[in-house]
Every structure is written in C-alpha cells, then in structure tokens.
Amino acid sequence: IAPFNPTNKHKPWIETEYQGIVMENDNTVLLNPPLFALDKDAPLHYAGEICGFRVHNGPSGSSSVQFEAVVLDRSTGEGLVRSKEPLDCESQREHSFTIQAYDCGEGPDGANSKKSHKATVHVRVNDVNEFSPVFVERRYEASVPEGRLFDRIVRVEALDADCSPQYSQICFYDILTPNIPFVIDNDGNIKNTEPLDSKRQRVHTFWVTAFDCGKNRAQADAQVVVTVKPSCKPGWIGWSKRVEYTPGSGSIPLFPSLHLETCEETVWNIQATVELQTGHIGKGCDRDSYSDRSVRRLCGAVRGEVDLLPPPSPAANWTSALPTLPSSDSSLVFSFNGSTHVAMVPDSIAAAISGDHFTLQLWMRRGGINTQPPTNQARGNRREEETIVCSTVKNDDSFSHYSLSVHGCRLSLFYWPDVSAARPVKFLWKLEQVCDSEWHHLSLSVQFPSVTLYVDGVTFDPALIHDNGAIPNPAPRQRLVIGACWGKYVGGYRGLLSGVTVRPGSVEPHSVVECLYACREGLDFGDLETLGSGMKVHVNPSQSVLVLEGDDIESFNRAVQQVTYRNSLRFATPGVRPLKLTTSLRCFNEESCLTLRQLEGYLVVLQPDAPQISLSGVGPHLARPAPEFEGPRGVPLFPELRIVCSLSHAVNTAAQGMEGGALMSDAVAHTLDGCEVQPLGEELNPEREELLVDMDALRERGLEIINTTAYIAITGAESISVYEDVLRSVRYRLAKGSARFERRFRLSCSEMNGRYTSNELTLEVNFLHSLDSLYHPSHLLASQQQFLHPSHHTGELSGHTLPNPHRNSVVPGAATVIIMVCVGFLVVMVILGVFRIRSIHRRGEGARGGSKEDSGQWDDSALTIIVNPMESYESRMGISADTEGEGEEDEEVVESPDDANDDQRIIIKKEGRDGHPRRY
C-alpha cells in the first residue's frame, strides 16, 4: 500500500467568461462553453477532485442570490448553473454574476482546499410570447373634407408587454369591418381608397385589430370613426345678410353664429373691420328728433346761445334767401354754394355775442350731398379758403376779428384780438373729417389765447399756431357773415350747415359737447371680460366702425359673436343700415395666404311702437259766471289736465339689461316737445279776449311760446309733468262787458318733433249771466246780439246744455223766459184741445165724417187765432226749418211729463223757409 500524500499542489482552473441562456419560466441555464473545472492534481483523490462552485455578485453589482452552481461529477469537474426560481424576462432580461470552483482539499474534511480564479457568467433570459397586443385608445376619431384622397386619415397604435422584439413588436394591423373604403398598413395608418362623399355617408364607423410577431391577436379591438365634412371653402360661415332690430331691444348681437373657416391654413394674425353705414340718417346717425335748442337743454348746456341760422321768419329774415334741405330730425339744413348763398347776420344780433370768450358750435357737411370728398385739393389744385363764419365785433374802444375756414383737409381759425394794434394769430388743424363729405359736429371754444376744438366730441390740438404777418385790416365796423367774409363773396363756403350757434362767456364743458354729438345708435362689444388673450377691440368715436384683431381663430370667433348693435332711442328711426365685414389674414407663407371677400348685409330697424299720448281731465264743458272771466287773472281752462304717455304693448325689460324679466308697460320717462291751444270758430279778438300764460314759468323751464289770435304754441323738449303744470296755468280772460254765451277751445300735444300726436281735447266754455244783468235793457240787447250772432251754427241755442246744478250756476235769463213762454203756450194748447175733444163727443154719432172735416177746420182756425211766441225769435235767429231743430225743440217740450201724451196727438203745421212742414 502506497503511503498517503497529503499535498494539494494546484488550484482548480475554469474559463474566465461564460455566456448563458435560460428560457423564461424555466431555471436551467445553458452555458457556452460548458462548465468544467480542471485540476492538475488529478487523478489524486481529494486534491484532484472538484468539490463545488461558489456564486458571487457580478462586476455590475447584480445580485447572485437568484442563481446557484452545482457539481455534477467531482472527478471530471462538470458543473451546472441554475436559477433558484423561474425567471421573468419582462422583469429582468439579463443577469451577470461570477463563479469560482474549489477542490476537495487534502482529505475528506476538505482541509487545505484550493480555489480557482473567478469567472464571469452572463445569463440572458429568452422571452416567451405570453402577452397579446393592447390598443392605446379604444376609440379613434377623425374628420376629413370630402372629395379628396389622403395618405393618412388617422393612425391607430397597439402595444405588447413581451420583452423581446420578436414578441413585443406589432407585426401587422387588420380592418375587421368588410366593404369599407379604407385600408390600414402595418404601422397602423388608415387612409381612404376612394374620395368620400358627405351626402352619401356622413360618418364611417369600423373596427380594427392588431397582431404581434408571435401571431397573438389583440385582446380587444379598437373602433374608428371618420366624419366626412363638406368641401372646405375658406371664409365666414353663418353670415346672415339681414338682421332685424326691434326698437327698445337694447343691444343685440349682429353675428351670433358667425365663425371663420381657414381650412387648416395656419394664420398668425386676423383683422376684421365691421362698418355700420348711417350717413343717410339725419346728421350721420340716429339722434334725438328734437330741435338743436331742445337738445342743448337736454344735455345741460349753459343757456345764452344765439342761433346764427334760425328758421326764416319776419323776425329772422336773413336766412330766407338760403336754400334748405329736408332732414329726418327737426333741424333746418342750409345749403351754401360758395358765391351767392351768404347770410348777413344783423348788427343787433352780432352785438349781443361780442367778446374774446365765446363758444362756436355747428354741424357741417363739406361739399353738399352728391360731391366727392376733395382729398387731393391741398395738392396741385390750389383753391382758396372756404370761409364758414366771419365776424368782426366791437369791444369797447377796439375791434376784434375772427374767421373759421376750411382749405383742403385743413380747418383754420384766424383770430385778431385787436385789429388796430395786435398781430393776428392762425390756428391750423389737419383733419380727415373736414374733407370726407360726411356730417360732423364742430365745437370751437375760444378763451384767447387758449383755443379748444372738439370734432364729433373728440378733442384735437392745433397742428400749427403761427403769426399770420401783415395783412389788410378789416373794415372797422361790426359785421357777422355766414358763408363768406368781409363782404366779398370770393372763396365762400361750399356745403351744408346746420345749428350754427355762438354763446359768449365761458367755454362749454366736454361732457356737454359729447352729449350734443352723441349718436344714440352704433356698434359695441358685448362683454370685454370674455375677450380672449391676444385680442384687441377698437371702436371709432361715432361707433360706426369696429375693428377686431387677434392671432387665435377660436378666440377670434368668440369675439366676433360678441359684436352688438345698440340703439338707446325709445323711438328709433326705422329704415335700413348697410353692414360691411372686411377681413384681412396674415400667414407664415404670405404667397399662399387666404384672401376673403368683403361681406355685405344690412340691419333693418323696424317701425317702433307708436306711443299713445292721452289728454284727459278736461271738459267737455266749463261753465262759470261771466264776471269770473272778466277778472284780472281770468279763469283757468285746464285746471285738472292729465297727460299720460304709454306704448301700445308691453316691453320686455330683461332685454334692456334691467333687473327682472317681467313684462311691464312702458309708460314713464316720455318727453313732450310741444302743445297747442287753439280757439275754434272765430279767432280771438285782442280787444275783448285773451289767453294768459305764466311767462316766468316758461322762461324758467326754457320753453318757448308763440301767442297769436289763432293759437298758442308752447314748444321745447320737457317732461310730462312740466307740460301739465304749464297747461294748467293757461287762463282765459275777457274784457269788461264782453261776455258771450260760449267759446270753444281745442288742446293737443306732440312728441318727437310732431312725429307722434295726442288726441284732440275739445273744451266748450259757457258764460253764465245773472238774471239782473239780463233784465237791464241795454245789457239784454247786447246779450241778445251776441247770443243771436248770425255766424253761429243752427243748433247753438237748442243744443246749449244747462250747467251742472251742483255747481250753483245761474240759468241765463233770456233762455229761462223763452222756455217759460213755450211751456205756457203748450199748456194753453192742451187745455183747448181737451175742451175741443169733449165738444166733439157731444155731437151725434151719425155725423162722424163731418166731424172730421170740422176737426180739420178747427186746426186751420187755431192757426189763425194762436200766435207762436217762438216765431219772432226764430226769425231773428235765422234758423231754418230742418230735422235737427225739430228733434231738439221736441226734446225741450217733452221735459214736461204731464203734456207728453197730448203732445203726441196735437200737430200744428207751419211752413218753413224751405216749404217743408216742420214738427215742434
């Protein structure tokens, strides 16, 4: 037996690197090269044998706890690497660790065992196709215009959770719905195979699925919805050519459903201009239909203005030679031709407005009606200045001079504070408003050396102020000319003027000037808070042009739908207002940028509901003793007058932005502008009768009055309560001994410059005479002459109604005497009739026919015996025998109930002037 050699001279040896593969959900690792550990001590027992392998963490720090290495054959050193648990490729696809072999040592106890170097093991986990594709979205939607083929309409996408490219990639997609004009490629792109028609089928719905490269189908299919849009045409969609506006509606949106379609063209700036044309209405837009003087009062202007172009009248005859044009408001428009049409204001008027502090206001329309704006007048064609107003006034011991002129598109004020000493100064303004042939309101406040100009309520600073140098002095005399200057009519004004006024003293406040010009209609923007970011809105002073600008189409569309039309007039002027919408687009590619045509439409303001102006609380009869009319103050004609204005139907207050939405009658805040009291029949005799009005109250309220013998007219825009107070103070007074028996008056009112009128209220005034005064011979004769005046109508006496007995009135003496005589005469005739009937009954029954003849003879004899006391009265009255007189006289007779039956049986025939029988 050989002796035991305990020496273990060599270390085991293994490869330095191994590549391993393990299937997912398995634990045996296949290594390349195979795992063998060699020891040069072999075939020695223990020292040349491999007892085991140790697994360590790899160089990257990956854990080795998932793997283990075992020895299959100790003598050959064959080993096996395996995982302790099945591996998941989706959790970790690759693993790295190190292994080390050690021998069995020198004995069975493994003493003095040796270790090999460490070898790196890389293990890759092979994937198993255990997952199916899943679509990112369950439903895909797309919209495409009709009539076109697209390379891609929509792209669907599915994902697979497997870790390897073989099983995680989607190899192809498939459309499950048959017979549809769409195909899908392996990348999920869907396109149409033929042009789509929105009329034939507006919406296409189909299903698609997906497969991975392991041929696993998607767990759930995806739905695709394709909407076919009609052919896209760039432009505005939802444009309504006609827009209706009901007066009293407040503000209404002009384009509630309008939006811009760019057909996917990328734009970076959009600008839209909305233009409302109102130049044909009044002086450029809808304003209050009152006179300029009334509008000044309503705006709170300082009083004291002098009208330089008043309506022609005997007192203002310097405008009678000027041609006038019709106007929708109450103002008078004068036309000037630059030569013969000149207004020379009297010196008495010019003297009242002297001084170097004054405010000149006027409405101007350059060139008249059918004249093109002289835009090129300042260049090339050097025309003379056109003078509008030229004034030389006397100030104590000196004269000052100023003139307002236009030249091309420039407005100039030439001011000379002292024509004998100071040098003149010229203020120039360059204004487009001067030469656009539209109506404009000018307000020039001079407080030398300060000059303030307002054009359409907007302040403009002078573009140039300079010393005009030496020029010929004006004549040292006071003169005020409209349409020319200094008496020579060269370079006169060509155009229209209206409402030219001058007020001396302090300048007009800006708020008043804005009110005088303010349009009651125009364009507006609904709610600025809803304006999107990057949006801009601009409205010109007259609110006839609104400009929107932005860079986002959605925000721009919302802004366009907020453009509104407003008209604050209760009774807006009906008619058509043309509308225009001009759009400008700017794109990144300017060459292919869209061009949109201008849209044209019109706004129709409907006829407003006519207000009902109702006058009540008067008459129809007013009976007073004659001495009351002959007193110093006379008798008030309308002491209980009531004026009510209301619309014919209710108005929705919610539409006007007021609180609540209930329907309520619009019966407040009306403004009358005139009332007239007119005597019916003969005009007033100024020597015997007159109508009295409280002039102090009129002046205090700024009202004007025209008092003639034919009528009294009170004018001026004021509230209903003011007109009620003024009309209640109207009194009728007679001279001593001038009382007649009746006088009739008619009262009517109007608003909106006579556009709406009230009912006509007729009042009959009865003068009650005392009995004593009638018994006086001279007074009785005078009363009868007045009462029996031949100019009165036929039924004047018979139709005269007695006054109300509750008013303690006295019945006129003459009428009482006549009635008593008639009643007495009737009683006598009844008694004679009864007596005659009894005598007839006493006669024999056989002579009935003769008795009838005798009865007829009795009637004739009665006519020869009895004299009608009314006959002489009728002859004096000149009353013809007509049916109306019959009925009225019968009415007086029937007042006696005892004689009613007899009156039906007794008929007296009397031939009237016309030869026809009359019935009494």
Side-chain angles (χ1 to χ4, degrees):
I1 299 173
F4 175 72
N5 185 8
T7 304
N8 187 6
K9 296 181 179 181
H10 299 91
K11 296 186 295 184
W13 177 90
I14 58 175
E15 299 285 345
T16 59
E17 186 175 11
Y18 294 90
Q19 300 293 332
I21 297 175
V22 62
M23 296 300 295
E24 189 179 20
N25 300 325
D26 195 2
N27 55 3
T28 301
V29 179
L30 300 178
L31 291 179
N32 183 23
L35 181 59
F36 283 94
L38 302 178
D39 195 322
K40 289 184 178 181
D41 292 326
L44 293 177
H45 192 53
Y46 298 111
E49 295 177 347
I50 304 300
C51 277
F53 294 92
R54 291 196 178 118
V55 177
H56 305 279
N57 289 335
S60 61
S62 59
S63 177
S64 61
V65 296
Q66 291 180 301
F67 295 91
E68 62 180 358
V70 296
V71 178
L72 298 180
D73 189 344
R74 296 174 64 174
S75 60
T76 61
E78 182 181 2
L80 175 67
V81 177
R82 62 188 179 189
S83 63
K84 298 178 182 179
E85 296 178 356
L87 298 178
D88 188 2
C89 176
E90 286 73 33
S91 298
Q92 187 173 351
R93 188 176 181 184
E94 292 185 353
H95 300 269
S96 295
F97 54 90
T98 61
I99 61 173
Q100 192 177 31
Y102 60 92
D103 57 18
C104 295
E106 297 178 352
D109 55 355
N112 295 324
S113 66
K114 295 185 181 295
K115 301 177 183 178
S116 69
H117 63 273
K118 292 181 179 179
T120 303
V121 180
H122 299 283
V123 178
R124 185 177 76 247
V125 182
N126 278 358
D127 187 23
V128 175
N129 193 10
E130 57 182 333
F131 293 100
S132 298
V134 176
F135 281 98
V136 176
E137 297 181 15
R138 295 296 305 276
R139 178 184 175 94
Y140 293 87
E141 295 183 3
S143 296
V144 293
E146 64 180 354
R148 291 171 55 187
L149 291 175
F150 297 90
D151 293 335
R152 185 178 74 177
I153 295 176
V154 65
R155 180 178 182 271
V156 299
E157 184 181 7
L159 300 178
D160 195 301
D162 289 315
C163 64
S164 63
Q166 179 183 5
Y167 300 129
S168 64
Q169 288 185 358
I170 307 300
C171 276
F172 64 95
Y173 294 88
D174 191 18
I175 296 179
L176 302 177
T177 305
N179 302 324
I180 59 172
F182 298 95
V183 294
I184 188 170
D185 61 15
N186 292 339
D187 294 327
N189 297 314
I190 298 176
K191 64 180 181 179
N192 57 327
T193 58
E194 61 183 43
L196 304 178
D197 188 355
S198 62
K199 296 180 180 178
R200 187 172 60 184
Q201 187 170 354
R202 182 68 181 274
V203 178
H204 296 268
T205 303
F206 52 93
W207 295 87
V208 296
T209 190
F211 292 88
D212 62 18
C213 293
K215 297 187 178 181
N216 275 1
R217 179 177 167 175
Q219 292 180 354
D221 302 327
Q223 185 183 41
V224 180
V225 178
V226 178
T227 302
V228 183
K229 298 186 299 183
S231 299
C232 181
K233 296 180 180 179
W236 291 102
I237 299 176
W239 170 262
S240 179
K241 189 173 183 179
R242 174 188 173 97
V243 181
E244 290 188 354
Y245 177 79
T246 302
S249 301
S251 297
I252 63 167
L254 289 175
F255 321 113
S257 60
L258 188 65
H259 61 279
L260 181 62
E261 176 60 60
T262 60
C263 296
E264 299 181 0
E265 179 71 30
T266 304
V267 297
W268 65 271
N269 182 267
I270 314 169
Q271 188 175 22
T273 302
V274 184
E275 182 180 357
L276 177 70
Q277 298 180 7
T278 58
H280 60 290
I281 303 171
K283 298 187 184 73
C285 69
D286 211 354
R287 293 183 173 89
D288 284 310
S289 299
Y290 297 113
S291 64
D292 291 329
R293 184 182 296 272
S294 296
V295 172
R296 288 182 58 83
R297 290 187 58 254
L298 294 174
C299 289
V302 181
R303 298 180 184 177
E305 74 278 359
V306 177
D307 193 353
L308 302 184
L309 290 178
S313 65
N317 57 1
W318 68 89
T319 60
S320 57
L322 295 177
T324 59
L325 298 177
S327 177
S328 62
D329 54 16
S330 61
S331 60
L332 200 57
V333 177
F334 294 91
S335 176
F336 292 82
N337 62 359
S339 57
T340 58
H341 298 162
V342 176
M344 303 287 295
V345 182
D347 294 343
S348 59
I349 303 296
I353 51 177
S354 61
D356 56 356
H357 289 189
F358 62 90
T359 298
L360 173 65
Q361 296 190 10
L362 55 94
W363 285 94
M364 177 186 72
R365 183 175 181 180
R366 186 88 175 278
I369 299 179
N370 299 319
T371 305
Q372 295 296 326
T375 54
N376 299 325
Q377 203 174 62
R379 298 180 182 178
N381 187 13
R382 300 286 297 176
R383 294 180 57 181
E384 297 182 359
E385 287 188 346
E386 300 179 20
T387 303
I388 301 174
V389 179
C390 183
S391 175
T392 303
V393 297
K394 183 175 177 59
N395 301 315
D396 297 331
D397 297 332
S398 63
F399 287 88
S400 62
H401 172 82
Y402 73 88
S403 62
L404 183 67
S405 306
V406 289
H407 184 200
C409 291
R410 290 177 174 84
L411 179 74
S412 65
L413 174 68
F414 179 79
Y415 191 81
W416 206 335
D418 188 348
V419 298
S420 60
R423 296 173 68 87
V425 179
K426 198 168 191 178
F427 301 85
L428 288 175
W429 294 268
K430 187 176 181 180
L431 304 168
E432 293 295 330
Q433 292 89 335
V434 175
C435 56
D436 61 0
S437 294
E438 299 292 340
W439 277 108
H440 296 285
H441 180 261
L442 274 63
S443 177
L444 192 68
S445 295
V446 178
Q447 197 167 3
F448 193 77
S450 175
V451 176
T452 304
L453 173 67
Y454 296 98
V455 180
D456 298 338
V458 179
T459 310
F460 288 88
D461 296 327
L464 182 64
I465 305 175
H466 65 87
D467 189 337
N468 203 62
I471 63 172
N473 293 357
R477 55 169 294 188
Q478 188 162 265
R479 176 171 293 183
L480 180 55
V481 184
I482 310 295
C485 195
W486 292 354
K488 60 179 182 178
Y489 301 155
V490 178
Y493 174 70
R494 295 175 176 84
L496 305 178
L497 293 178
S498 178
V500 183
T501 62
V502 174
R503 183 183 57 79
S506 59
V507 299
E508 204 79 81
H510 187 197
S511 59
V512 173
V513 177
E514 287 181 333
C515 177
L516 293 175
Y517 168 75
C519 288
R520 295 303 188 91
E521 67 172 344
L523 300 174
D524 203 352
F525 193 80
D527 187 4
L528 291 175
E529 295 182 358
T530 62
L531 196 63
S533 60
M535 290 294 304
K536 298 178 183 178
V537 179
H538 174 73
V539 185
N540 67 335
S542 62
Q543 292 188 306
S544 60
V545 178
L546 185 145
V547 180
L548 284 172
E549 185 175 357
D551 53 9
D552 180 66
I553 294 180
E554 295 300 326
S555 299
F556 197 87
N557 287 336
R558 288 194 298 269
V560 168
Q561 295 170 6
Q562 291 287 327
V563 177
T564 61
Y565 168 80
R566 56 147 192 88
N567 195 321
S568 59
L569 282 180
R570 187 181 304 273
F571 308 111
T573 303
V576 175
R577 277 80 161 159
L579 270 174
K580 291 183 180 179
L581 177 61
T582 306
T583 311
S584 174
L585 301 177
R586 301 185 67 180
C587 309
F588 292 101
N589 187 0
E590 295 292 341
E591 296 180 357
S592 62
C593 197
L594 303 176
T595 302
L596 303 182
R597 64 181 181 88
Q598 185 184 66
L599 297 179
E600 296 184 359
Y602 54 92
L603 172 76
V604 180
V605 178
L606 303 178
Q607 186 74 30
D609 297 319
Q612 308 297 324
I613 309 174
S614 175
L615 307 181
S616 61
V618 176
H621 297 281
L622 174 65
R624 290 289 187 274
E628 293 187 16
F629 291 93
E630 298 172 355
R633 299 191 59 193
V635 174
L637 294 179
F638 318 109
E640 300 178 357
L641 175 66
R642 281 188 53 79
I643 305 177
V644 177
C645 294
S646 61
L647 292 178
S648 57
H649 74 281
V651 174
N652 191 348
T653 57
Q656 302 181 11
M658 301 170 64
E659 293 184 1
L663 295 176
M664 57 183 295
S665 179
D666 183 15
V668 294
H670 283 258
T671 302
L672 300 181
D673 61 4
C675 289
E676 182 179 284
V677 181
Q678 178 185 5
L680 299 179
E682 298 178 353
E683 295 185 3
L684 296 177
N685 187 343
E687 298 180 357
R688 298 169 52 189
E689 53 186 343
E690 62 178 341
L691 290 175
L692 305 177
V693 183
D694 189 351
M695 299 302 296
D696 293 335
L698 288 178
R699 282 190 291 268
E700 180 182 353
R701 293 173 168 92
L703 299 177
E704 299 179 355
I705 184 172
I706 301 176
N707 194 346
T708 66
T709 59
Y711 64 91
I712 285 183
I714 302 171
T715 59
E718 260 299 349
S719 63
I720 292 177
S721 59
V722 170
Y723 267 95
E724 283 181 339
D725 293 341
V726 171
L727 292 174
R728 288 170 183 171
S729 68
V730 175
R731 295 173 173 269
Y732 178 55
R733 188 173 71 85
L734 295 173
K736 200 69 175 177
S738 300
R740 47 197 293 168
F741 279 99
E742 70 172 11
R743 161 66 87 174
R744 301 173 66 209
F745 294 94
R746 181 171 58 199
L747 171 65
S748 61
C749 296
S750 66
E751 69 173 315
M752 301 297 292
N753 192 36
R755 183 172 166 188
Y756 304 110
T757 57
S758 69
N759 59 310
E760 293 183 351
L761 204 61
T762 303
L763 175 67
E764 181 179 315
V765 179
N766 297 318
F767 309 95
L768 306 182
H769 300 270
S770 64
L771 204 56
D772 295 337
S773 62
L774 287 178
Y775 282 159
H776 193 276
S778 61
H779 196 121
L780 179 61
L781 181 59
S783 301
Q784 290 177 348
Q785 289 176 353
Q786 294 176 13
F787 184 70
L788 306 177
H789 198 281
S791 67
H792 289 312
H793 56 78
T794 304
E796 186 170 4
L797 175 63
S798 59
H800 184 78
T801 58
L802 297 180
N804 192 334
H806 298 291
R807 295 187 177 183
N808 299 324
S809 57
V810 180
V811 179
T816 305
V817 172
I818 293 172
I819 292 174
M820 292 176 63
V821 170
C822 293
V823 173
F825 170 73
L826 187 58
V827 170
V828 173
M829 292 298 295
V830 170
I831 295 174
L832 290 177
V834 172
F835 177 76
R836 183 63 175 171
I837 291 171
R838 289 182 177 177
S839 63
I840 291 174
H841 280 289
R842 293 193 196 102
R843 296 182 181 179
E845 294 179 357
R848 292 184 181 271
S851 65
K852 291 181 181 180
E853 294 178 359
D854 294 341
S855 177
Q857 293 174 0
W858 178 85
D859 288 341
D860 293 339
S861 63
L863 286 174
T864 59
I865 294 173
I866 299 175
V867 179
N868 187 357
M870 293 292 291
E871 184 177 357
S872 59
Y873 171 74
E874 289 178 355
S875 62
R876 287 181 297 173
M877 288 287 291
I879 300 177
S880 61
D882 55 5
T883 308
E884 181 181 354
E886 271 180 336
E888 292 172 349
E889 292 176 6
D890 288 344
E891 243 181 327
E892 290 186 13
V893 174
V894 173
E895 287 180 4
S896 176
D898 297 336
D899 304 334
N901 295 330
D902 294 333
D903 183 52
Q904 297 296 328
R905 292 185 288 108
I906 300 176
I907 299 176
I908 302 175
K909 296 182 181 179
K910 179 177 181 293
E911 296 295 328
R913 296 182 182 180
D914 53 0
H916 297 290
R918 296 186 58 190
R919 189 183 300 266
Y920 293 92

